[in-house]
């Protein structure tokens, strides 16, 4: 399941994982939202209501797409966040990783 993401004129392609959250996001497409930024993370609310999955985690990788259950939010990680302990991205609380940006996610720093 591949999707196209348009973030402020930057177009990215991402591969969704075949997980419960990945399928829920796929079925809710298309959607758009007004994004907020938290360090090197872009997030916005989406019309998906998923619960934390087994393996939900707060430490993620650059390029990961994740769902943050407390905010029903779609998160794109492209570098450290205020919760990071080093240079790795870290969510505010555990997220369901449901996809990965293909290519260089750090272009979102623009």
């Amino acid at each position: 399941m591949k999707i196209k993401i348009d973030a402020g004129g930057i177009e990215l392609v991402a591969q969704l994982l075949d997980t419960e959250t990945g399928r829920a996001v796929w079925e809710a497409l298309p959607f758009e939202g007004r994004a907020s930024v938290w360090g090197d993370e872009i997030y916005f609310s989406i019309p998906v209501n998923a619960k934390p999955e087994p393996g939900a985690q707060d430490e993620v990788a650059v390029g990961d797409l994740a769902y943050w259950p407390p905010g029903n939010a779609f998160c794109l990680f492209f570098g450290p966040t205020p919760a990071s302990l080093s240079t790795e991205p870290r969510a505010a609380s555990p997220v369901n990783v449901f996809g990965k940006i293909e290519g260089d996610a750090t272009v979102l720093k623009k």
Side-chain angles (χ1 to χ4, degrees):
M1 300 179 288
K2 286 194 180 193
I3 63 170
K4 183 175 81 170
I5 300 167
D6 183 354
I10 296 171
E11 288 192 8
L12 301 164
V13 173
Q15 179 73 42
L16 301 187
L17 301 174
D18 188 15
T19 62
E20 197 171 315
T21 303
R23 289 186 299 273
V25 169
W26 178 259
E27 290 169 9
L29 291 169
F31 52 74
E32 58 183 62
R34 187 161 189 81
S36 296
V37 177
W38 190 59
D40 286 351
E41 173 192 351
I42 295 171
Y43 67 96
F44 58 97
S45 292
I46 61 173
V48 170
N49 187 12
K51 297 195 179 335
E53 292 184 11
Q57 61 201 59
D58 57 357
E59 190 171 328
V60 294
V62 170
D64 278 352
L65 303 181
Y67 176 82
W68 186 54
N72 294 357
F74 184 111
C75 307
L76 297 91
F77 294 94
F78 55 96
T81 66
S84 295
L85 303 175
S86 183
T87 59
E88 87 292 347
R90 185 175 292 268
S93 61
V95 294
N96 299 337
V97 174
F98 67 85
K100 184 82 171 173
I101 294 172
E102 295 182 348
D104 184 10
T106 64
V107 299
L108 292 168
K109 290 181 184 266
K110 295 179 184 176

